[in-house]
Amino acid sequence: MFQGGSALAWRRIVARGIIEHDRNGLLVSEHDMNGASDHITRLYDDPSLRNRLSAAGIETISRGFTPTALCDRIEQACEDAVNQQALHMSG
């Protein structure tokens, strides 16, 4: 996405909030090779779809994956882990 390519990902393993189907990429169910093939064909055959998904992907990455945004996410994950550990220790 950062390089301007269209994203195709397995629905099950995609990180939430990164790829939204038909907005900034295409998602396919895990083990659905026919669906993946159909999406690849769609991207190949439709330059306007490729361009739209690519532009939205670049915007997603530039908005949500700046160094500051990544540090904020890491900080939040650490705080969540500490809070979760505190709950386990107190209960």
Side-chain angles (χ1 to χ4, degrees), residues 75-86:
E75 181 179 15
Q76 185 62 54
C78 290
E79 287 177 14
D80 292 348
V82 168
N83 291 337
Q84 189 68 25
Q85 183 66 25

Side-chain angles (χ1 to χ4, degrees), residues 18-63:
I18 297 174
I19 298 176
E20 298 173 44
H21 183 72
D22 225 15
R23 187 185 104 37
N24 61 5
L26 298 174
L27 298 173
V28 65
S29 297
E30 190 175 9
H31 306 296
D32 183 2
M33 294 300 121
N34 289 330
S37 177
D38 290 346
H39 286 328
I40 290 167
T41 300
R42 228 177 118 198
L43 289 168
Y44 181 80
D45 289 341
D46 189 345
S48 66
L49 174 64
R50 280 196 315 270
N51 292 336
R52 181 175 59 79
L53 295 178
S54 295
I58 290 170
E59 188 258 321
T60 298
I61 295 299
S62 65
R63 175 178 35 92

